[in-house]
Amino acid sequence: MLNIRIERTATPKTKPDYSKLGFGKYFTDHMFLMNYSTEKGWHDARIVPYGPIPLDPSAMVFHYAQELFEGLKAYRRADGGIQLFRPDKNIERMNNTCDRLCVPRIDPADALQAIKAVVEADKDWVPYDEGTSLYIRPFIIATDPMLGVHPSHTYIFAIILSPVGSYYEAGINPVKIGIEREYVRCVKGGTGMAKAGGNYAASLIGQKKAEEYGYAQVLWLDGVERKYIDEVGAMNVFFVIDGVVITPELTDGNILPGVTRNSCIALLKKWGVPVEERKLAIDEVIEAHKTGKLNEAFGTGTAAVISPIGELFDEGEKMVINNNEIGPVAKRLYDAITGMQWGKVADDMGWIEKID
Ligand SMILES: *Cc1c(COP(=O)(O)O)cnc(C)c1O
């Protein structure tokens, strides 16, 4: 159990227009902070007014990117209560990322307590409008004022909150994706399975290129053979080929183990829909498209839940998928997961953690 000190703001902000939230533009009145030192371990848990975190210019995070983050949401139910979706999964993944980046772990019960406490402190910021939620961004930064390359001895764990709009204000529109054959997101043995800010820095160039070509996101291929599908943008990816749902396996450590991905697989298994976690070559997808067997493709992640892929672009060739419409598998998963998240569908998986 953490002993969390709470210092409430004397100057609460004016709430934004909840019909125009977008993603990650507004931040609430408070934030959670906790420090780590070798002598004291994780200590000084506190909820304080949202604001700048003073850091020495030599703080290690600025130079060697020893940083990691998580992303989950708090949802407002119709009865006014607030709930989280599988926060234990995010906390488990955060600690796995800690291991990979030589950052000290945080006790899972303490991390959950911190998330709940800061959401509780800013609970009037959890929006009520259809499809909106409060995005929760926990992160850890290395703070040693030291330019030597070595794991830091001091850290800050922070949680900030941002009310976010419905991802699909104008209905679920499939996105166009460009297959990236030049740059890679990660390599075997690297940090692909870790939610590290550094992975994003490395991926920006592919994203920028895709946008220049008029595509929303990048389809990443594996860093070794450039043959197998890894992910799409910052989402996991699923293909439905001849009735079988296929998603890249986690075994090589180059796929981020998404909570949404895991939830989709569990639901498909429960429904008796054939689902395979295995290596999937881009050529297999192209061939399936040629022979009319590529039924659906979609990305999965906390922000959008399910993002149907309407078109794949590869070196001058366009592949339109499912007539550029959301397919039945994607739709069923979307309805089931969002139904549970906003409390409209009974949670028979034990995935909901109520706060209020
Ligand atoms: C966070 C993330 C995902 C999606 O994970 P969820 O837990 O489903 O939100 C997928 N790929 C990458 C690279 C990510 O950072």
Tab-separated table of all heavy atoms in Angstrom, residues 39-63:
chain	number	residue	atom	x	y	z
A	39	GLU	N	18.807	4.093	-2.472
A	39	GLU	CA	18.702	3.951	-1.019
A	39	GLU	C	17.265	3.725	-0.558
A	39	GLU	O	17.000	2.891	0.301
A	39	GLU	CB	19.232	5.205	-0.294
A	39	GLU	CG	20.629	5.669	-0.683
A	39	GLU	CD	20.655	6.398	-2.024
A	39	GLU	OE1	19.851	7.330	-2.213
A	39	GLU	OE2	21.465	6.022	-2.903
A	40	LYS	N	16.335	4.489	-1.125
A	40	LYS	CA	14.960	4.472	-0.619
A	40	LYS	C	14.005	3.625	-1.440
A	40	LYS	O	12.863	3.425	-1.038
A	40	LYS	CB	14.414	5.909	-0.579
A	40	LYS	CG	15.077	6.818	0.436
A	40	LYS	CD	14.293	8.125	0.466
A	40	LYS	CE	14.914	9.165	1.364
A	40	LYS	NZ	14.255	10.464	1.178
A	41	GLY	N	14.424	3.162	-2.613
A	41	GLY	CA	13.483	2.484	-3.499
A	41	GLY	C	12.445	3.480	-4.000
A	41	GLY	O	12.690	4.698	-4.005
A	42	TRP	N	11.256	2.995	-4.408
A	42	TRP	CA	10.179	3.920	-4.830
A	42	TRP	C	9.617	4.578	-3.582
A	42	TRP	O	9.272	3.890	-2.608
A	42	TRP	CB	9.077	3.167	-5.579
A	42	TRP	CG	9.498	2.759	-6.964
A	42	TRP	CD1	9.762	1.506	-7.410
A	42	TRP	CD2	9.683	3.638	-8.088
A	42	TRP	NE1	10.118	1.528	-8.741
A	42	TRP	CE2	10.080	2.834	-9.182
A	42	TRP	CE3	9.577	5.027	-8.291
A	42	TRP	CZ2	10.347	3.354	-10.451
A	42	TRP	CZ3	9.846	5.549	-9.556
A	42	TRP	CH2	10.222	4.719	-10.610
A	43	HIS	N	9.523	5.892	-3.576
A	43	HIS	CA	9.084	6.610	-2.371
A	43	HIS	C	8.444	7.952	-2.738
A	43	HIS	O	8.524	8.393	-3.887
A	43	HIS	CB	10.279	6.842	-1.434
A	43	HIS	CG	11.319	7.755	-2.029
A	43	HIS	ND1	12.259	7.327	-2.929
A	43	HIS	CD2	11.541	9.086	-1.878
A	43	HIS	CE1	13.022	8.340	-3.298
A	43	HIS	NE2	12.598	9.419	-2.681
A	44	ASP	N	7.881	8.593	-1.742
A	44	ASP	CA	7.260	9.923	-1.876
A	44	ASP	C	6.155	9.939	-2.946
A	44	ASP	O	6.166	10.767	-3.857
A	44	ASP	CB	8.330	10.996	-2.178
A	44	ASP	CG	7.807	12.406	-1.914
A	44	ASP	OD1	6.737	12.533	-1.276
A	44	ASP	OD2	8.451	13.374	-2.367
A	45	ALA	N	5.190	9.019	-2.795
A	45	ALA	CA	4.040	8.992	-3.714
A	45	ALA	C	3.159	10.199	-3.414
A	45	ALA	O	2.847	10.469	-2.251
A	45	ALA	CB	3.254	7.702	-3.511
A	46	ARG	N	2.808	10.942	-4.467
A	46	ARG	CA	2.014	12.155	-4.247
A	46	ARG	C	1.168	12.505	-5.460
A	46	ARG	O	1.540	12.189	-6.596
A	46	ARG	CB	2.932	13.333	-3.895
A	46	ARG	CG	3.971	13.637	-4.974
A	46	ARG	CD	5.214	14.254	-4.347
A	46	ARG	NE	6.173	14.718	-5.352
A	46	ARG	CZ	7.173	13.951	-5.851
A	46	ARG	NH1	7.317	12.688	-5.478
A	46	ARG	NH2	8.011	14.452	-6.740
A	47	ILE	N	0.043	13.143	-5.170
A	47	ILE	CA	-0.795	13.707	-6.237
A	47	ILE	C	-0.715	15.208	-6.049
A	47	ILE	O	-1.015	15.726	-4.973
A	47	ILE	CB	-2.237	13.172	-6.143
A	47	ILE	CG1	-2.252	11.691	-6.554
A	47	ILE	CG2	-3.166	13.988	-7.043
A	47	ILE	CD1	-3.555	10.968	-6.268
A	48	VAL	N	-0.246	15.893	-7.092
A	48	VAL	CA	0.028	17.330	-6.985
A	48	VAL	C	-0.584	18.039	-8.198
A	48	VAL	O	-0.961	17.386	-9.186
A	48	VAL	CB	1.566	17.595	-6.936
A	48	VAL	CG1	2.168	17.045	-5.642
A	48	VAL	CG2	2.266	16.999	-8.152
A	49	PRO	N	-0.675	19.373	-8.160
A	49	PRO	CA	-1.196	20.081	-9.332
A	49	PRO	C	-0.383	19.740	-10.585
A	49	PRO	O	0.853	19.640	-10.519
A	49	PRO	CB	-1.053	21.555	-8.953
A	49	PRO	CG	-1.145	21.549	-7.456
A	49	PRO	CD	-0.447	20.283	-7.023
A	50	TYR	N	-1.069	19.566	-11.711
A	50	TYR	CA	-0.406	19.284	-12.988
A	50	TYR	C	0.527	20.438	-13.324
A	50	TYR	O	0.142	21.603	-13.211
A	50	TYR	CB	-1.465	19.137	-14.087
A	50	TYR	CG	-0.875	18.796	-15.437
A	50	TYR	CD1	-0.720	17.469	-15.835
A	50	TYR	CD2	-0.455	19.800	-16.316
A	50	TYR	CE1	-0.167	17.148	-17.061
A	50	TYR	CE2	0.105	19.487	-17.546
A	50	TYR	CZ	0.246	18.161	-17.914
A	50	TYR	OH	0.796	17.846	-19.130
A	51	GLY	N	1.760	20.139	-13.716
A	51	GLY	CA	2.675	21.220	-14.067
A	51	GLY	C	4.034	20.694	-14.434
A	51	GLY	O	4.277	19.482	-14.412
A	52	PRO	N	4.966	21.605	-14.776
A	52	PRO	CA	6.302	21.197	-15.215
A	52	PRO	C	7.039	20.390	-14.138
A	52	PRO	O	6.805	20.580	-12.946
A	52	PRO	CB	7.026	22.529	-15.448
A	52	PRO	CG	5.944	23.522	-15.644
A	52	PRO	CD	4.792	23.064	-14.811
A	53	ILE	N	7.896	19.490	-14.606
A	53	ILE	CA	8.744	18.702	-13.708
A	53	ILE	C	10.172	19.227	-13.889
A	53	ILE	O	10.763	19.033	-14.945
A	53	ILE	CB	8.688	17.199	-14.068
A	53	ILE	CG1	7.247	16.672	-14.002
A	53	ILE	CG2	9.608	16.391	-13.168
A	53	ILE	CD1	7.081	15.232	-14.494
A	54	PRO	N	10.740	19.913	-12.889
A	54	PRO	CA	12.101	20.440	-13.063
A	54	PRO	C	13.123	19.304	-13.148
A	54	PRO	O	13.079	18.375	-12.341
A	54	PRO	CB	12.338	21.274	-11.790
A	54	PRO	CG	11.034	21.311	-11.076
A	54	PRO	CD	10.191	20.194	-11.572
A	55	LEU	N	13.987	19.366	-14.125
A	55	LEU	CA	15.012	18.341	-14.305
A	55	LEU	C	16.333	19.012	-14.641
A	55	LEU	O	16.360	20.042	-15.316
A	55	LEU	CB	14.637	17.407	-15.465
A	55	LEU	CG	13.506	16.412	-15.245
A	55	LEU	CD1	13.217	15.693	-16.549
A	55	LEU	CD2	13.867	15.416	-14.161
A	56	ASP	N	17.412	18.402	-14.203
A	56	ASP	CA	18.737	18.883	-14.564
A	56	ASP	C	18.940	18.671	-16.074
A	56	ASP	O	18.539	17.632	-16.598
A	56	ASP	CB	19.772	18.068	-13.772
A	56	ASP	CG	21.117	18.738	-13.764
A	56	ASP	OD1	21.787	18.722	-14.823
A	56	ASP	OD2	21.495	19.283	-12.714
A	57	PRO	N	19.554	19.625	-16.761
A	57	PRO	CA	19.781	19.420	-18.213
A	57	PRO	C	20.587	18.162	-18.519
A	57	PRO	O	20.513	17.634	-19.635
A	57	PRO	CB	20.550	20.676	-18.637
A	57	PRO	CG	20.213	21.696	-17.614
A	57	PRO	CD	19.997	20.946	-16.316
A	58	SER	N	21.340	17.682	-17.553
A	58	SER	CA	22.116	16.458	-17.799
A	58	SER	C	21.315	15.200	-17.434
A	58	SER	O	21.852	14.091	-17.526
A	58	SER	CB	23.420	16.497	-17.005
A	58	SER	OG	23.140	16.435	-15.612
A	59	ALA	N	20.058	15.342	-17.035
A	59	ALA	CA	19.256	14.161	-16.666
A	59	ALA	C	19.334	13.120	-17.785
A	59	ALA	O	19.197	13.442	-18.972
A	59	ALA	CB	17.813	14.568	-16.406
A	60	MET	N	19.552	11.880	-17.397
A	60	MET	CA	19.848	10.831	-18.376
A	60	MET	C	18.775	10.650	-19.444
A	60	MET	O	19.078	10.327	-20.587
A	60	MET	CB	20.092	9.517	-17.644
A	60	MET	CG	21.379	9.576	-16.846
A	60	MET	SD	21.899	7.969	-16.303
A	60	MET	CE	22.320	7.245	-17.851
A	61	VAL	N	17.524	10.878	-19.052
A	61	VAL	CA	16.447	10.681	-20.030
A	61	VAL	C	16.634	11.546	-21.276
A	61	VAL	O	16.300	11.130	-22.387
A	61	VAL	CB	15.065	10.938	-19.387
A	61	VAL	CG1	14.908	12.377	-18.918
A	61	VAL	CG2	13.944	10.571	-20.359
A	62	PHE	N	17.221	12.745	-21.099
A	62	PHE	CA	17.396	13.652	-22.240
A	62	PHE	C	18.452	13.163	-23.226
A	62	PHE	O	18.476	13.562	-24.379
A	62	PHE	CB	17.824	15.046	-21.759
A	62	PHE	CG	16.774	15.775	-20.967
A	62	PHE	CD1	17.131	16.513	-19.847
A	62	PHE	CD2	15.431	15.733	-21.337
A	62	PHE	CE1	16.172	17.209	-19.124
A	62	PHE	CE2	14.473	16.414	-20.621
A	62	PHE	CZ	14.839	17.158	-19.506
A	63	HIS	N	19.354	12.329	-22.749
A	63	HIS	CA	20.499	11.972	-23.586
A	63	HIS	C	20.450	10.546	-24.109
A	63	HIS	O	20.766	10.295	-25.269
A	63	HIS	CB	21.792	12.216	-22.789
A	63	HIS	CG	21.838	13.617	-22.284
A	63	HIS	ND1	22.267	14.666	-23.060
A	63	HIS	CD2	21.408	14.165	-21.121
A	63	HIS	CE1	22.112	15.804	-22.382
A	63	HIS	NE2	21.602	15.513	-21.206
